[in-house]
Amino acid sequence: MKIAQVAPLFESVPPAQYGGTERVVANLTNELVRLGHEVTLFASADSSTRGKLVPMCPRALRLDTGCRDQLAWHVLMTECVAAQADRFDLIHFHIGHFHFPLVRRLDVPHVTTLHGRLDLPELEPLYNEFSDMPVISISDAQRQPLPMANWIATIPHGLPETMFQFQPEPEGYLAFLGRISLEKRVDRAIAIATALGWPLKIAAKIDPADVGYFEQEVRPLLDNPLVEFVGEIDDQAKGSFLGRARALLFPIDWPEPFGLVMIEALACGTPVVAFRAGSVEEVVEHGRTGFIVDTDDEAVAATRRVTTIDRRTCRQSFEQHFTARRMVERHVSVYSQVINAKAASVQVAI
Amino acid sequence: MKIAQVAPLFESVPPAQYGGTERVVANLTNELVRLGHEVTLFASADSSTRGKLVPMCPRALRLDTGCRDQLAWHVLMTECVAAQADRFDLIHFHIGHFHFPLVRRLDVPHVTTLHGRLDLPELEPLYNEFSDMPVISISDAQRQPLPMANWIATIPHGLPETMFQFQPEPEGYLAFLGRISLEKRVDRAIAIATALGWPLKIAAKIDPADVGYFEQEVRPLLDNPLVEFVGEIDDQAKGSFLGRARALLFPIDWPEPFGLVMIEALACGTPVVAFRAGSVEEVVEHGRTGFIVDTDDEAVAATRRVTTIDRRTCRQSFEQHFTARRMVERHVSVYSQVINAKAASVQVAI
């Protein structure tokens, strides 16, 4: 198949450090190429891919402090994609709903993966209008606020099988990895570790918008001999950080659409203790690959029992459900389905 | 003519208080209706117009603190406009370049007024691609960074003739009106007033992004017996605020695309002392309706001589160049030109 992947321009594909969407697009593109498909990737020029890169802006916009109008680059990208649309069998968008009015007027089969949270009131009128756009969710839970959308598949994220090594023998610490923000609840992770008297390592990115929250709410909690704050880490460091942990704490307080870090931990063999929200029940198998909890007390009790989880089972769960290969097989099947549906509708129209 | 006006959704049309673009769209729409045209206005539901309002979101997005995804409403609006495009003889967009890929694929004549600053590096590749889109500038100076764009007219802003009353007898103060921001240079206005020993009244909006600048740089300067800070004011208060002033100080330090407040002052008969930048030389007639200066010393000297300016000349300049009637006549002529060009190109194609 000739496939176009259209990535957001905020991070490179893959991102240098933190960044979920662009990382998934990178894995998807590389794995499609490995399977023999011809993939064109529309992304920032500092991306690196096995596909054919069409550079849409000089560098990832998050790093381009001189750029005031990030929308301008995305407008230019959608035009560029539309202008060469008939070169592709299918176009796969990862840029939210920005392109909907345009692609509705193109003849080429397309599909859009929605990577973000969808429980915003302004999305309801939007998807009432665009209930024909074929969309892919990254968890079933993510769909809930928008039942009127044209959901054609749920495809969980996947990672290259060799990206993280299985670590059979962990050290004694707990790990937290993510953005520092109200909804990720690093404060809860600290409370759990403190209740157990176990060390906690925190690897986290702090967005400019969250600096106030970090300074006021989080920094005072770091003055704790059990807690080590290691800052933002890259993929290299991540494998060792997650793999050596006794468990990953995922104490979220928001409808997480997927939660890539959970499968990164599982790939290392590290069990996950997660609060029930968003996609969690679709990723963690309670009692097999970690524990799903509803309260702080349950979290402490579950974490204490986490050594009863077999780390090989965690790795096997990753290999079975969450590899890039598995993710790509699912995509290829959806692509065929969309292309055939389009051909059938043209047939009817003729 | 059957005309669609497509406004940004950040403010109502017209805005309750500060806001340039939506105010211009309001004047343009009302005056077109008065001339007998059938005008449909796409805008937020709290707008009020003589045209037919198609409400696109419940309220102005600046006031809707629950809205996280402002783009979603604009995506929905462009779809809504495109879906009924063939009902109109012409569509006039005021939403930047957001709609370019979409309207390129519609058959209806359209034109876009660019209301913002254009000296951003990311706009150059955008307008290299979209050099066919018919665009209107609000000053000749505004065009300078983008010579490749398809400029079809410069149309200065206009105000209803009766909106501001001519005030022949001012009081003794100087006026500053605008946003508090680095580029508007309220600090310069304070320095000029202080050098002259004349009172200065400041009517200004403070955007959340500029609160830091205000607190650190501006607030200390307000502790000055000559300076009175009156906050953000509405249209009612504006006429009296500007009309009673001896002069408007416009000490900008950026390429101002138009500067609506200059013609608001002229409409009251109030001369303008402005720094040479952006549109200033196209609005102020040096020595007739105010003074154009390059340095703080020149500004002080010019302001001292401002009583030599005949206030009736200022009002006459407004009536001759900057009324809504004048603005609308120019638009009708451009609309005809665009419609005829489209018809001719279709003829050629047939």
Side-chain angles (χ1 to χ4, degrees):
Chain A
M1 275 185 250
K2 291 182 184 166
I3 302 160
Q5 296 289 342
V6 184
L9 303 173
F10 303 110
E11 303 280 352
S12 59
V13 175
Q17 297 194 315
Y18 193 89
T21 303
E22 292 86 350
R23 187 174 309 278
V24 171
V25 177
N27 293 338
L28 176 57
T29 300
N30 290 342
E31 201 65 26
L32 282 167
V33 172
R34 211 193 304 262
L35 289 181
H37 298 287
E38 194 180 321
V39 187
T40 303
L41 172 65
F42 296 84
S44 68
D46 49 353
S47 298
S48 100
T49 179
R50 289 167 181 263
K52 186 190 155 214
L53 177 66
V54 182
M56 296 309 320
C57 60
R59 69 193 69 84
L61 298 181
R62 177 162 83 107
L63 307 175
D64 188 351
T65 50
C67 176
R68 287 189 183 211
D69 186 352
Q70 299 183 326
L71 199 58
W73 289 114
H74 287 89
V75 170
L76 189 55
M77 177 163 71
T78 54
E79 174 59 39
C80 187
V81 171
Q84 43 187 295
D86 57 9
R87 287 183 42 220
F88 305 113
D89 298 318
L90 180 132
I91 306 174
H92 189 169
F93 290 94
H94 301 268
I95 55 172
H97 35 253
F98 179 61
H99 54 292
F100 281 176
L102 180 61
V103 295
R104 190 178 256 182
R105 290 163 179 83
L106 298 179
D107 266 340
V108 179
H110 60 87
V111 64
T112 298
T113 294
L114 298 173
H115 289 265
R117 69 188 293 174
L118 302 177
D119 59 332
L120 312 177
E122 55 271 24
L123 297 186
E124 197 179 315
L126 187 74
Y127 283 86
N128 278 332
E129 170 61 42
F130 288 107
S131 57
D132 58 324
M133 293 284 122
V135 282
I136 296 173
S137 46
I138 57 178
S139 66
D140 290 335
Q142 185 200 23
R143 298 181 175 193
Q144 207 194 322
L146 301 177
M148 72 297 268
N150 180 17
W151 299 110
I152 54 168
T154 289
I155 305 185
H157 289 338
L159 304 172
E161 248 171 282
T162 55
M163 187 169 177
F164 296 103
Q165 301 303 316
F166 175 59
Q167 301 263 9
E169 295 294 341
E171 299 174 11
Y173 66 89
L174 300 169
F176 175 98
L177 194 154
R179 271 183 299 118
I180 292 290
S181 75
L182 206 55
E183 54 208 23
K184 297 282 190 179
R185 294 297 302 267
V186 69
D187 59 311
R188 254 186 193 159
I190 295 171
I192 294 164
T194 305
L196 289 166
W198 292 6
L200 170 70
K201 294 191 185 186
I202 300 170
K205 169 194 177 195
I206 307 171
D207 277 337
D210 295 313
V211 168
Y213 167 71
F214 176 75
E215 292 298 335
Q216 279 159 42
E217 306 289 329
V218 180
R219 194 187 281 286
L221 304 176
L222 300 181
D223 186 18
N224 178 328
L226 290 170
V227 176
E228 182 185 349
F229 185 81
V230 303
E232 191 171 354
I233 60 177
D234 62 16
D235 284 351
Q236 199 73 28
K238 206 190 272 183
S240 142
F241 176 82
L242 290 173
R244 293 186 189 157
R246 190 185 291 199
L248 173 75
L249 297 184
F250 196 63
I252 51 161
D253 194 10
W254 77 301
E256 182 82 45
F258 186 78
L260 205 53
V261 67
M262 290 191 287
I263 65 170
E264 291 171 338
L266 295 179
C268 301
T270 301
V272 179
V273 177
F275 276 66
R276 192 185 317 276
S279 61
V280 161
E281 288 172 294
E282 300 167 52
V283 179
V284 178
E285 295 172 71
H286 184 72
R288 280 194 82 237
T289 64
F291 296 106
I292 301 173
V293 301
D294 292 294
T295 66
D296 286 24
D297 287 348
E298 281 179 37
V300 172
T303 308
R304 185 176 285 124
R305 285 184 293 135
V306 87
T307 45
T308 65
I309 301 287
D310 181 356
R311 292 179 70 93
R312 275 166 306 186
T313 308
C314 295
R315 174 72 195 182
Q316 280 158 12
S317 172
F318 161 73
E319 286 174 3
Q320 198 173 351
H321 302 297
F322 302 117
T323 62
R325 175 64 60 101
R326 193 76 197 83
M327 170 175 75
V328 169
E329 286 166 358
R330 288 168 170 135
H331 275 101
V332 171
S333 146
V334 168
Y335 294 166
S336 302
Q337 177 189 329
V338 171
I339 292 168
N340 292 338
K342 182 82 185 179
S345 76
V346 171
Q347 205 94 39
V348 170
I350 291 167
Chain B
M1 274 186 248
K2 290 181 185 168
I3 303 160
Q5 296 289 342
V6 184
L9 303 174
F10 303 109
E11 302 281 352
S12 59
V13 175
Q17 297 192 315
Y18 194 87
T21 303
E22 292 86 349
R23 189 175 307 280
V24 171
V25 177
N27 293 338
L28 176 57
T29 300
N30 290 342
E31 201 65 25
L32 282 166
V33 172
R34 212 193 303 264
L35 289 180
H37 298 288
E38 195 180 319
V39 188
T40 303
L41 172 65
F42 295 85
S44 69
D46 50 353
S47 298
S48 100
T49 178
R50 288 167 182 264
K52 185 190 157 213
L53 177 65
V54 182
M56 296 310 318
C57 60
R59 70 194 70 83
L61 298 181
R62 177 163 82 108
L63 307 175
D64 189 351
T65 51
C67 177
R68 286 191 185 209
D69 186 351
Q70 299 184 326
L71 198 59
W73 290 114
H74 288 89
V75 170
L76 190 54
M77 178 163 71
T78 53
E79 174 60 38
C80 187
V81 171
Q84 43 188 293
D86 57 10
R87 288 183 42 220
F88 305 113
D89 298 318
L90 180 132
I91 305 174
H92 189 168
F93 291 94
H94 301 268
I95 54 173
H97 35 252
F98 179 60
H99 54 292
F100 282 177
L102 180 61
V103 295
R104 189 178 257 183
R105 289 162 179 84
L106 297 179
D107 265 340
V108 179
H110 60 86
V111 63
T112 298
T113 294
L114 297 174
H115 289 266
R117 69 188 295 175
L118 302 178
D119 60 331
L120 312 178
E122 56 270 23
L123 297 186
E124 199 179 313
L126 187 74
Y127 283 86
N128 279 332
E129 170 62 41
F130 288 106
S131 58
D132 58 323
M133 293 284 123
V135 282
I136 296 173
S137 47
I138 57 177
S139 66
D140 289 337
Q142 185 200 22
R143 297 180 175 194
Q144 208 193 319
L146 300 176
M148 72 297 269
N150 179 19
W151 299 110
I152 55 166
T154 289
I155 305 186
H157 289 338
L159 305 172
E161 250 172 280
T162 56
M163 186 169 177
F164 295 102
Q165 301 303 317
F166 175 58
Q167 301 262 10
E169 295 293 341
E171 299 174 12
Y173 67 87
L174 301 169
F176 176 97
L177 194 154
R179 269 182 300 118
I180 293 289
S181 76
L182 207 55
E183 54 209 22
K184 297 282 190 177
R185 293 297 302 268
V186 68
D187 60 311
R188 255 188 193 158
I190 295 171
I192 294 164
T194 305
L196 289 166
W198 292 5
L200 171 70
K201 293 191 186 186
I202 300 170
K205 170 194 177 192
I206 307 171
D207 278 337
D210 295 314
V211 167
Y213 167 71
F214 175 75
E215 292 298 334
Q216 279 159 42
E217 305 290 328
V218 179
R219 195 187 281 285
L221 305 176
L222 299 181
D223 186 19
N224 177 328
L226 289 170
V227 176
E228 183 185 349
F229 186 80
V230 303
E232 191 171 354
I233 60 176
D234 62 15
D235 284 350
Q236 199 73 26
K238 205 192 272 181
S240 143
F241 176 82
L242 291 172
R244 293 187 189 158
R246 192 186 288 199
L248 173 76
L249 298 184
F250 196 64
I252 53 162
D253 195 10
W254 76 302
E256 181 83 45
F258 186 78
L260 205 53
V261 67
M262 291 193 285
I263 66 170
E264 291 171 336
L266 296 179
C268 301
T270 301
V272 180
V273 178
F275 275 66
R276 193 184 318 275
S279 63
V280 160
E281 288 173 294
E282 299 168 53
V283 179
V284 178
E285 295 171 70
H286 184 71
R288 282 193 81 237
T289 64
F291 295 106
I292 301 171
V293 301
D294 292 294
T295 66
D296 286 25
D297 287 347
E298 281 180 37
V300 172
T303 308
R304 186 176 284 124
R305 285 183 293 134
V306 87
T307 45
T308 65
I309 301 288
D310 182 356
R311 292 179 70 93
R312 275 165 307 185
T313 308
C314 295
R315 173 74 195 183
Q316 281 159 12
S317 172
F318 162 73
E319 286 174 4
Q320 200 175 346
H321 303 297
F322 303 116
T323 62
R325 175 64 59 100
R326 194 76 197 84
M327 172 176 73
V328 169
E329 287 166 359
R330 289 167 167 135
H331 275 102
V332 170
S333 146
V334 168
Y335 293 167
S336 302
Q337 177 190 328
V338 171
I339 292 168
N340 292 338
K342 181 83 184 179
S345 76
V346 170
Q347 205 96 39
V348 169
I350 290 168

